[in-house]
Amino acid sequence: MLLTLILGSLFLGVKAYEYSSKFDHGIYPWAPRGRIYERPDLYYGSAVRARLSDPAILAKIKELDGRPENELSDAELTGRRRLKQVKDMVNNPDQQAFDLAVVADQIMPLPGEGSDSHDHGGGLNDTFAWLQLPAVIPGGNMWASTYFFLTGFHAVHVIVGLIVFSILLLYELGPAAAGMIENAGLYWHFVDLVWIFLFPLLYLF
């Protein structure tokens, strides 16, 4: 039972780290705070413009622009040119939907149509991790909401199970506690069974 408590706590620690990483990348269970947009519309353009106007980001860009070319990798050189292009596009008063689609593709290109790849690398966010520009992912907010709901609801059940096991540690093993221990075990196996389905659904597909 003590081992179950330790492993359950470890699982919650992994979830906490995973949630923290999601938040760092602007992935939230609700759209207003997130940096995921469903389409490259004017709201998206405004969000990119606001991010590029952040004083900390401006300082980083200034530092990047001041570095000589021989100190930059090929990816950084290309990224610097693409970043300038993105800045010009989002600050263009005659902004067109096509321009914003190009901006979105420069920030985080999506896999080609019909591709089985889930790799979103090669964009500005990948080249310059500190940029953390808003990205366009069709259906991304729905995925984020579903992910946080399912994993969060499961985590609540894990916490309840750990509390129950902690209480059971105070009891002496015997016929009087047999029913409670059996019910707690059945509950914990149910939580395990749910995770067997959640894991491939959320992480493998």
Side-chain angles (χ1 to χ4, degrees), residues 26-193:
I27 302 174
Y28 290 88
W30 59 94
R33 287 198 62 188
R35 289 196 294 270
I36 295 177
Y37 286 76
E38 303 282 338
R39 61 185 66 85
D41 53 18
L42 293 178
Y43 295 105
Y44 173 71
S46 297
V48 175
R49 186 163 52 249
R51 179 63 180 167
L52 290 173
S53 301
D54 184 286
I57 297 300
L58 287 173
K60 287 275 192 180
I61 293 175
K62 184 177 180 180
E63 178 188 345
L64 176 66
D65 290 339
R67 292 173 61 187
E69 291 190 0
N70 58 1
E71 291 184 4
L72 299 174
S73 66
D74 291 342
E76 288 173 327
L77 279 172
T78 303
R80 187 165 69 175
R81 289 193 296 269
R82 291 163 69 183
L83 181 56
K84 184 179 184 306
Q85 180 186 10
V86 165
K87 287 172 59 182
D88 291 341
M89 284 183 174
V90 296
N91 289 315
N92 184 355
D94 298 324
Q95 202 174 72
Q96 300 295 321
F98 175 75
D99 293 331
L100 291 175
V102 173
V103 167
D105 190 62
Q106 296 280 26
I107 291 171
M108 194 184 78
L110 296 176
E113 188 175 350
S115 170
D116 293 330
S117 172
H118 297 283
D119 182 20
H120 301 297
L124 287 172
N125 279 345
D126 187 58
T127 305
F128 307 115
W130 45 266
L131 265 179
Q132 296 185 358
L133 292 170
V136 171
I137 305 177
N141 285 315
M142 176 60 74
W143 177 89
S145 298
T146 303
Y147 164 83
F148 281 108
F149 173 75
L150 293 177
T151 58
F153 201 55
H154 180 262
V156 169
H157 282 77
V158 172
I159 293 171
V160 170
L162 294 179
I163 292 173
V164 170
F165 281 127
S166 298
I167 294 173
L168 287 177
L169 287 176
L170 303 176
Y171 285 79
E172 291 185 9
L173 294 179
M180 191 183 305
I181 293 173
E182 183 177 358
N183 289 334
L186 288 173
Y187 172 83
W188 193 252
H189 286 311
F190 163 74
V191 173
D192 284 340
L193 185 63

